[in-house]
Amino acid sequence: MTQRRYLLDEDAIPRQWYNLAADLPSLPPPPLHPGTGDPVGPDDLIPLFPMALIMQEVASDRWIAIPDPVREIYSMWRPTPLYRALGLEKAPGTRSRIFYKYEGVSPSGSHKTNTSVPQAYYNAQEGVSRIATETGAGQWGSALAFACQFFDLEAKVYMVRASYDQKPYRRSMIRTWGGEVVASPSPDTAAGRAILEEHPDSTGSLGIAISEAVEDAATRNDTKYALGSVLNHVLLHQTIVGQEAKEQLALAGADPDVIIGCVGGGSNFAGLAFPFLADKAAGKDIRIIAAEPSACPTLTRGHYGYDFGDTAKMAPLLPMHTLGHGFVPPPIHSGGLRYHGMAPLVSHVVHTGLVEARAYDQSECFAEAVRFARSEGIIPAPEPSHALRAVAEEAARADEEGVERTILFNLCGHGNFDMAAYDAYLAGELVDAPLAQAELDAAAAELEGLPAL
Ligand SMILES: Cc1ncc(COP(=O)(O)O)c(C=O)c1O
């Protein structure tokens, strides 16, 4: 029998996070203060984040130690399995070898707990009692609620309206773990009220929900803000995924030629890819691909410059690919990929040519997700179905070229709470919404006057 699963002992849970900033030939410029336009210093971030996370945000050390209490909670589901996708390889009949790291085994069902646990830990260490956050797909909000309960923290989650309506059981999970969840835009904040006044039927966006959570944290002494992606410290926490994958591939005697992850804010992609990107930056021949939705094509069609991280312009200006802070993506089912911007570090490695980006329509992605469910058993979250589409493309390309490649991707979450999306696909009701150029131009117009890169 060909081995299917590559497993590591609990003792192999990484003891350090890997910081790509230490190994890149150049770094993105600093975030800027939304009011003054000056570079953001640690002091500016104190109202939002505990100092330990602020220091990780600006860290230049290659390795950062993972605290024992965080590793102890990680041990509930880590190390996660690496699978050889034997069924998927047979389904299209490729000669390539396909491996996937499966993060859906975490209690909340995705990679998001890799960062929610340390974020909750550092907040509790510094005496914070309540955390406000946004959630797109509900994956991050549920992961944060899960983590907060271990450290006696309250969690308030602003959940993008489109997902709030599509995914009622994500709300139930948040509440079961003791968190509070409201649909965003909400009447609970000035930012939410302003949007509701203008667009009472707003389906929301991550940009709007971030504005609400940032306002909540900035206006209460007991509360800090947590972000589920985009920022350096979040990407850092996810690098345990790629570190484990390296060890597991070594067990399989495999060396990846192509590495693929889907991108919303960039964290699951970075988590898998960054430990390998160090090797690529040092000259290793390896291709790394970020897959995004054509309805929110930040890396493939967005502008590369400074933009606000949120809609209400309260969050810092970040150097990134962006569709404009006011852009509200169509309500595609991959709620976690509906973000107007991108992690500065991911934008930087795309801009400098270390990473390729591709955009796909949701129906072609769901076709791959269904093929995966029928060949591998696991029902993928809609977000990683974009990675699956890129995997299919790469496998077909290798076959055409007559070569056998080793392809690794991140199956960053299961889709067990996304069945309404699968129902829509199977009923032939899924609508593709590739972004029209006019909409892209209109969204980019609001970037005029912001600092260029
Ligand atoms: C399952 C899943 N995958 C991917 C993403 C995209 O986020 P990121 O690009 O930060 O990994 C999300 C975000 O909510 C998600 O829930």
Side-chain angles (χ1 to χ4, degrees):
M1 250 171 46
T2 310
Q3 188 167 343
R4 191 184 277 271
R5 288 187 306 155
Y6 294 88
L7 305 173
L8 299 172
D9 288 337
E10 257 174 54
D11 191 45
I13 295 171
R15 291 171 194 277
Q16 294 167 315
W17 292 298
Y18 168 66
N19 182 11
L20 179 68
D23 287 321
L24 283 179
S26 66
L27 287 176
L32 304 178
H33 191 283
T36 63
D38 294 333
V40 167
D43 286 354
D44 298 313
L45 296 174
I46 288 173
L48 296 182
F49 301 109
M51 193 44 85
L53 293 175
I54 295 173
M55 295 325 286
Q56 289 181 3
E57 195 57 27
V58 296
S60 54
D61 323 54
R62 181 169 292 114
W63 299 102
I64 292 173
I66 303 177
D68 284 343
V70 171
R71 281 186 86 242
E72 252 170 57
I73 297 178
Y74 280 167
S75 71
M76 288 177 174
W77 72 95
R78 301 209 74 85
T80 61
L82 178 86
Y83 283 84
R84 169 97 183 263
L86 294 170
L88 187 67
E89 287 171 15
K90 282 199 201 98
T94 180
R95 62 161 82 183
S96 285
R97 287 196 295 173
I98 303 172
F99 290 89
Y100 60 97
K101 186 73 169 149
Y102 183 42
E103 291 296 306
V105 294
S106 87
S108 67
S110 80
H111 63 296
K112 297 285 180 182
T113 43
N114 296 333
T115 183
S116 67
V117 172
Q119 290 198 49
Y121 166 79
Y122 289 120
N123 272 288
Q125 285 285 96
E126 295 185 29
V128 176
S129 60
R130 182 175 173 276
I131 296 185
T133 196
E134 75 295 324
T135 193
Q139 292 268 20
W140 165 243
S142 48
L144 189 75
F146 161 80
C148 280
Q149 60 174 345
F150 293 111
F151 301 102
D152 289 329
L153 294 166
E154 282 178 52
K156 166 95 182 241
V157 182
Y158 295 87
M159 183 168 183
V160 175
R161 164 62 72 181
S163 295
Y164 189 89
D165 293 338
Q166 280 166 356
K167 299 175 189 184
Y169 294 123
R170 280 280 159 200
R171 294 185 237 154
S172 315
M173 289 173 87
I174 292 169
R175 291 183 181 129
T176 302
W177 279 317
E180 182 192 347
V181 55
V182 292
S184 167
S186 81
D188 297 8
T189 65
R193 287 190 294 274
I195 286 163
L196 284 175
E197 215 163 274
E198 226 181 298
H199 307 285
D201 298 327
S202 170
T203 51
S205 71
L206 273 168
I208 295 170
I210 292 172
S211 295
E212 292 207 84
V214 166
E215 178 186 325
D216 182 320
T219 51
R220 285 180 62 145
N221 283 337
D222 62 346
T223 302
K224 297 240 187 256
Y225 168 65
L227 188 61
S229 189
V230 179
L231 297 178
N232 296 344
H233 67 267
V234 182
L235 274 50
L236 176 82
H237 298 156
Q238 293 295 350
T239 57
I240 50 181
V241 176
Q243 290 183 60
E244 287 178 7
K246 272 191 166 179
E247 276 200 46
Q248 289 161 307
L249 284 173
L251 292 178
D255 207 7
D257 301 298
V258 187
I259 293 177
I260 297 172
C262 66
V263 278
S267 74
N268 92 83
F269 169 81
L272 181 71
F274 279 9
F276 294 92
L277 203 51
D279 304 335
K280 179 167 170 120
K284 189 165 179 192
D285 184 18
I286 188 169
R287 285 178 46 239
I288 303 184
I289 301 169
E292 65 182 7
S294 59
C296 190
T298 318
L299 284 172
T300 48
R301 294 174 66 200
H303 169 80
Y304 185 56
Y306 273 101
D307 192 14
F308 297 97
D310 70 323
T311 306
K313 308 182 193 177
M314 288 187 290
L317 284 157
L318 298 174
M320 61 183 177
H321 289 87
T322 176
L323 298 168
H325 49 272
F327 177 67
V328 178
I332 52 166
H333 286 280
S334 296
L337 306 187
R338 295 176 72 236
Y339 182 55
H340 68 274
M342 184 55 62
L345 268 176
V346 172
S347 284
H348 183 73
V349 292
V350 169
H351 183 68
T352 52
L354 282 169
V355 166
E356 301 164 40
R358 309 239 179 101
Y360 300 107
D361 291 339
Q362 63 173 350
S363 55
E364 59 182 339
C365 296
F366 269 96
E368 294 303 331
V370 168
R371 173 154 54 182
F372 187 87
R374 291 177 184 174
S375 56
E376 289 292 316
I378 298 166
I379 298 177
E383 289 84 2
S385 73
H386 293 75
L388 279 165
R389 181 71 200 108
V391 168
E393 228 173 53
E394 282 304 311
R397 179 171 149 166
D399 290 337
E400 273 165 34
E401 291 170 13
V403 294
E404 179 201 300
R405 295 213 170 92
T406 298
I407 302 171
L408 168 69
F409 75 98
N410 196 2
L411 186 62
C412 49
H414 68 63
N416 296 358
F417 298 97
D418 300 278
M419 297 321 293
Y422 279 87
D423 278 347
Y425 171 74
L426 295 169
E429 290 163 0
L430 219 56
V431 179
D432 285 331
L435 194 60
Q437 189 58 40
E439 248 184 286
L440 195 67
D441 295 343
E446 66 194 8
L447 298 171
E448 268 168 39
L450 294 178
L453 284 171

